[in-house]
mmCIF file of all heavy atoms in Angstrom:
data_model
loop_
_atom_site.group_PDB
_atom_site.id
_atom_site.type_symbol
_atom_site.label_atom_id
_atom_site.label_comp_id
_atom_site.label_asym_id
_atom_site.label_seq_id
_atom_site.Cartn_x
_atom_site.Cartn_y
_atom_site.Cartn_z
ATOM 1 N N ASP A 1 18.754 8.726 -6.551
ATOM 2 C CA ASP A 1 19.375 9.982 -6.846
ATOM 3 C C ASP A 1 20.047 10.020 -8.245
ATOM 4 O O ASP A 1 19.934 10.901 -8.960
ATOM 5 C CB ASP A 1 20.575 10.192 -5.785
ATOM 6 C CG ASP A 1 20.061 10.669 -4.440
ATOM 7 O OD1 ASP A 1 18.773 11.024 -4.336
ATOM 8 O OD2 ASP A 1 20.738 10.643 -3.527
ATOM 9 N N ARG A 2 20.727 8.870 -8.581
ATOM 10 C CA ARG A 2 21.362 8.824 -9.930
ATOM 11 C C ARG A 2 20.362 8.863 -11.090
ATOM 12 O O ARG A 2 20.581 9.656 -11.991
ATOM 13 C CB ARG A 2 22.124 7.509 -9.943
ATOM 14 C CG ARG A 2 22.886 7.355 -11.335
ATOM 15 C CD ARG A 2 23.599 6.015 -11.386
ATOM 16 N NE ARG A 2 22.594 4.900 -11.566
ATOM 17 C CZ ARG A 2 22.062 4.591 -12.600
ATOM 18 N NH1 ARG A 2 22.182 5.207 -13.756
ATOM 19 N NH2 ARG A 2 21.136 3.540 -12.634
ATOM 20 N N LEU A 3 19.222 8.156 -10.908
ATOM 21 C CA LEU A 3 18.264 8.230 -11.995
ATOM 22 C C LEU A 3 17.532 9.548 -12.061
ATOM 23 O O LEU A 3 17.198 10.015 -13.170
ATOM 24 C CB LEU A 3 17.233 7.103 -11.727
ATOM 25 C CG LEU A 3 17.811 5.647 -11.973
ATOM 26 C CD1 LEU A 3 16.925 4.605 -11.322
ATOM 27 C CD2 LEU A 3 18.035 5.399 -13.481
ATOM 28 N N MET A 4 17.279 10.131 -10.907
ATOM 29 C CA MET A 4 16.712 11.539 -10.891
ATOM 30 C C MET A 4 17.584 12.525 -11.519
ATOM 31 O O MET A 4 17.227 13.486 -12.299
ATOM 32 C CB MET A 4 16.321 12.091 -9.531
ATOM 33 C CG MET A 4 15.554 13.259 -9.480
ATOM 34 S SD MET A 4 13.934 13.091 -10.420
ATOM 35 C CE MET A 4 13.062 12.185 -9.174
ATOM 36 N N ASP A 5 18.949 12.370 -11.297
ATOM 37 C CA ASP A 5 19.895 13.304 -11.930
ATOM 38 C C ASP A 5 19.880 13.025 -13.566
ATOM 39 O O ASP A 5 20.001 14.041 -14.254
ATOM 40 C CB ASP A 5 21.367 12.991 -11.505
ATOM 41 C CG ASP A 5 21.603 13.476 -10.049
ATOM 42 O OD1 ASP A 5 20.913 14.409 -9.686
ATOM 43 O OD2 ASP A 5 22.602 13.132 -9.459
ATOM 44 N N GLU A 6 19.584 11.838 -13.931
ATOM 45 C CA GLU A 6 19.421 11.604 -15.437
ATOM 46 C C GLU A 6 18.285 12.305 -15.949
ATOM 47 O O GLU A 6 18.224 12.919 -17.045
ATOM 48 C CB GLU A 6 19.448 10.097 -15.749
ATOM 49 C CG GLU A 6 19.523 9.865 -17.280
ATOM 50 C CD GLU A 6 19.570 8.444 -17.634
ATOM 51 O OE1 GLU A 6 20.008 7.549 -16.771
ATOM 52 O OE2 GLU A 6 19.236 8.073 -18.818
ATOM 53 N N ALA A 7 17.159 12.312 -15.137
ATOM 54 C CA ALA A 7 15.874 12.854 -15.552
ATOM 55 C C ALA A 7 16.115 14.390 -15.598
ATOM 56 O O ALA A 7 15.610 15.155 -16.508
ATOM 57 C CB ALA A 7 14.808 12.600 -14.612
ATOM 58 N N LEU A 8 16.859 14.915 -14.687
ATOM 59 C CA LEU A 8 17.039 16.386 -14.604
ATOM 60 C C LEU A 8 18.006 16.825 -15.815
ATOM 61 O O LEU A 8 17.788 17.820 -16.512
ATOM 62 C CB LEU A 8 17.835 16.866 -13.361
ATOM 63 C CG LEU A 8 16.970 16.949 -12.076
ATOM 64 C CD1 LEU A 8 17.785 16.942 -10.921
ATOM 65 C CD2 LEU A 8 16.180 18.222 -12.213
ATOM 66 N N SER A 9 18.959 15.957 -16.214
ATOM 67 C CA SER A 9 19.797 16.221 -17.361
ATOM 68 C C SER A 9 18.941 16.190 -18.680
ATOM 69 O O SER A 9 19.187 17.009 -19.522
ATOM 70 C CB SER A 9 20.886 15.077 -17.406
ATOM 71 O OG SER A 9 21.714 15.378 -18.522
ATOM 72 N N LEU A 10 18.042 15.282 -18.758
ATOM 73 C CA LEU A 10 17.156 15.238 -19.928
ATOM 74 C C LEU A 10 16.318 16.521 -19.962
ATOM 75 O O LEU A 10 16.128 17.154 -21.069
ATOM 76 C CB LEU A 10 16.136 14.059 -19.743
ATOM 77 C CG LEU A 10 16.629 12.673 -20.304
ATOM 78 C CD1 LEU A 10 15.603 11.643 -19.936
ATOM 79 C CD2 LEU A 10 16.890 12.660 -21.819
ATOM 80 N N ALA A 11 15.827 17.035 -18.844
ATOM 81 C CA ALA A 11 14.952 18.191 -18.884
ATOM 82 C C ALA A 11 15.763 19.450 -19.327
ATOM 83 O O ALA A 11 15.207 20.224 -20.081
ATOM 84 C CB ALA A 11 14.483 18.484 -17.381
ATOM 85 N N GLN A 12 17.037 19.465 -19.096
ATOM 86 C CA GLN A 12 17.788 20.654 -19.405
ATOM 87 C C GLN A 12 18.046 20.720 -20.924
ATOM 88 O O GLN A 12 18.522 21.832 -21.510
ATOM 89 C CB GLN A 12 19.245 20.627 -18.721
ATOM 90 C CG GLN A 12 19.167 20.973 -17.231
ATOM 91 C CD GLN A 12 18.714 22.406 -17.030
ATOM 92 O OE1 GLN A 12 18.878 23.252 -17.854
ATOM 93 N NE2 GLN A 12 18.023 22.659 -15.833
ATOM 94 N N ARG A 13 17.762 19.630 -21.647
ATOM 95 C CA ARG A 13 17.995 19.637 -23.103
ATOM 96 C C ARG A 13 16.993 20.624 -23.711
ATOM 97 O O ARG A 13 17.356 21.027 -24.923
ATOM 98 C CB ARG A 13 17.814 18.204 -23.657
ATOM 99 C CG ARG A 13 18.959 17.339 -23.242
ATOM 100 C CD ARG A 13 18.701 15.941 -23.735
ATOM 101 N NE ARG A 13 18.640 15.841 -25.189
ATOM 102 C CZ ARG A 13 18.576 14.602 -25.861
ATOM 103 N NH1 ARG A 13 18.348 13.518 -25.200
ATOM 104 N NH2 ARG A 13 18.429 14.670 -27.075
ATOM 105 N N ALA A 14 15.951 21.060 -23.011
ATOM 106 C CA ALA A 14 15.058 22.016 -23.707
ATOM 107 C C ALA A 14 15.102 23.413 -23.093
ATOM 108 O O ALA A 14 14.206 24.138 -23.181
ATOM 109 C CB ALA A 14 13.584 21.479 -23.598
ATOM 110 N N ALA A 15 16.250 23.730 -22.371
ATOM 111 C CA ALA A 15 16.386 24.980 -21.628
ATOM 112 C C ALA A 15 16.090 26.135 -22.684
ATOM 113 O O ALA A 15 16.651 26.167 -23.752
ATOM 114 C CB ALA A 15 17.698 25.052 -21.046
ATOM 115 N N GLY A 16 15.258 27.066 -22.241
ATOM 116 C CA GLY A 16 14.959 28.184 -23.032
ATOM 117 C C GLY A 16 13.856 27.876 -24.142
ATOM 118 O O GLY A 16 13.522 28.830 -24.878
ATOM 119 N N ARG A 17 13.283 26.690 -24.139
ATOM 120 C CA ARG A 17 12.314 26.423 -25.173
ATOM 121 C C ARG A 17 10.867 26.098 -24.689
ATOM 122 O O ARG A 17 9.935 25.944 -25.537
ATOM 123 C CB ARG A 17 12.855 25.204 -25.957
ATOM 124 C CG ARG A 17 14.192 25.302 -26.519
ATOM 125 C CD ARG A 17 14.317 26.475 -27.626
ATOM 126 N NE ARG A 17 15.520 26.504 -28.309
ATOM 127 C CZ ARG A 17 16.583 27.168 -27.897
ATOM 128 N NH1 ARG A 17 16.593 27.901 -26.725
ATOM 129 N NH2 ARG A 17 17.689 27.306 -28.594
ATOM 130 N N THR A 18 10.701 26.045 -23.424
ATOM 131 C CA THR A 18 9.449 25.428 -22.890
ATOM 132 C C THR A 18 8.499 26.516 -22.292
ATOM 133 O O THR A 18 7.329 26.196 -21.999
ATOM 134 C CB THR A 18 9.622 24.380 -21.800
ATOM 135 O OG1 THR A 18 10.380 24.993 -20.747
ATOM 136 C CG2 THR A 18 10.494 23.225 -22.386
ATOM 137 N N SER A 19 8.864 27.725 -22.113
ATOM 138 C CA SER A 19 8.081 28.773 -21.516
ATOM 139 C C SER A 19 6.767 28.872 -22.269
ATOM 140 O O SER A 19 6.653 28.807 -23.366
ATOM 141 C CB SER A 19 8.752 30.102 -21.549
ATOM 142 O OG SER A 19 9.911 30.203 -20.716
ATOM 143 N N PRO A 20 5.619 29.052 -21.507
ATOM 144 C CA PRO A 20 5.586 29.269 -20.017
ATOM 145 C C PRO A 20 5.516 27.934 -19.165
ATOM 146 O O PRO A 20 5.199 27.997 -18.043
ATOM 147 C CB PRO A 20 4.255 30.022 -19.791
ATOM 148 C CG PRO A 20 3.419 29.502 -20.915
ATOM 149 C CD PRO A 20 4.319 29.242 -22.095
ATOM 150 N N ASN A 21 5.929 26.915 -19.817
ATOM 151 C CA ASN A 21 5.840 25.597 -19.112
ATOM 152 C C ASN A 21 7.275 25.294 -18.482
ATOM 153 O O ASN A 21 8.259 25.965 -18.773
ATOM 154 C CB ASN A 21 5.607 24.423 -20.058
ATOM 155 C CG ASN A 21 4.140 24.423 -20.599
ATOM 156 O OD1 ASN A 21 3.372 25.233 -20.080
ATOM 157 N ND2 ASN A 21 3.932 23.643 -21.630
ATOM 158 N N PRO A 22 7.297 24.386 -17.602
ATOM 159 C CA PRO A 22 8.605 24.069 -16.899
ATOM 160 C C PRO A 22 9.493 23.100 -17.708
ATOM 161 O O PRO A 22 9.003 22.558 -18.788
ATOM 162 C CB PRO A 22 8.136 23.350 -15.616
ATOM 163 C CG PRO A 22 6.866 22.670 -16.040
ATOM 164 C CD PRO A 22 6.217 23.619 -16.926
ATOM 165 N N LEU A 23 10.649 23.021 -17.313
ATOM 166 C CA LEU A 23 11.548 21.946 -17.860
ATOM 167 C C LEU A 23 11.311 20.646 -17.160
ATOM 168 O O LEU A 23 11.443 20.518 -15.989
ATOM 169 C CB LEU A 23 13.071 22.401 -17.679
ATOM 170 C CG LEU A 23 13.555 23.634 -18.320
ATOM 171 C CD1 LEU A 23 14.974 24.050 -17.716
ATOM 172 C CD2 LEU A 23 13.537 23.478 -19.836
ATOM 173 N N VAL A 24 11.003 19.582 -17.973
ATOM 174 C CA VAL A 24 10.711 18.221 -17.324
ATOM 175 C C VAL A 24 11.435 17.116 -18.073
ATOM 176 O O VAL A 24 11.271 17.185 -19.324
ATOM 177 C CB VAL A 24 9.189 18.101 -17.262
ATOM 178 C CG1 VAL A 24 8.888 16.724 -16.497
ATOM 179 C CG2 VAL A 24 8.437 19.201 -16.558
ATOM 180 N N GLY A 25 12.041 16.288 -17.374
ATOM 181 C CA GLY A 25 12.578 15.035 -17.947
ATOM 182 C C GLY A 25 11.906 13.940 -17.176
ATOM 183 O O GLY A 25 11.709 13.990 -15.977
ATOM 184 N N ALA A 26 11.857 12.681 -17.891
ATOM 185 C CA ALA A 26 11.207 11.577 -17.217
ATOM 186 C C ALA A 26 11.942 10.282 -17.754
ATOM 187 O O ALA A 26 12.402 10.219 -18.927
ATOM 188 C CB ALA A 26 9.720 11.477 -17.541
ATOM 189 N N LEU A 27 12.060 9.273 -16.903
ATOM 190 C CA LEU A 27 12.625 8.048 -17.126
ATOM 191 C C LEU A 27 11.542 6.969 -16.782
ATOM 192 O O LEU A 27 10.877 7.157 -15.715
ATOM 193 C CB LEU A 27 13.883 7.657 -16.427
ATOM 194 C CG LEU A 27 15.070 8.595 -16.578
ATOM 195 C CD1 LEU A 27 16.157 8.234 -15.664
ATOM 196 C CD2 LEU A 27 15.508 8.668 -17.975
ATOM 197 N N VAL A 28 11.527 5.895 -17.551
ATOM 198 C CA VAL A 28 10.716 4.692 -17.080
ATOM 199 C C VAL A 28 11.789 3.600 -16.863
ATOM 200 O O VAL A 28 12.620 3.280 -17.762
ATOM 201 C CB VAL A 28 9.699 4.300 -18.178
ATOM 202 C CG1 VAL A 28 9.006 3.007 -17.687
ATOM 203 C CG2 VAL A 28 8.710 5.398 -18.388
ATOM 204 N N VAL A 29 11.772 2.963 -15.742
ATOM 205 C CA VAL A 29 12.742 2.065 -15.321
ATOM 206 C C VAL A 29 12.079 0.717 -14.901
ATOM 207 O O VAL A 29 11.184 0.668 -14.032
ATOM 208 C CB VAL A 29 13.548 2.522 -14.119
ATOM 209 C CG1 VAL A 29 14.641 1.423 -13.710
ATOM 210 C CG2 VAL A 29 14.238 3.916 -14.408
#
């Protein structure tokens, strides 16, 4: 859960910039 929340937080850094694509964040652990 914690690591997915970090991925979601990363994704939000591009809010409003990715259309028509989604907001996506990824971590390698």
Side-chain angles (χ1 to χ4, degrees):
D1 285 347
R2 182 184 67 79
L3 289 164
M4 188 60 74
D5 283 341
E6 185 175 343
L8 282 163
S9 180
L10 276 172
Q12 287 295 332
R13 291 175 62 178
R17 303 297 187 272
T18 62
S19 290
N21 292 351
L23 296 169
V24 184
L27 303 176
V28 178
V29 180

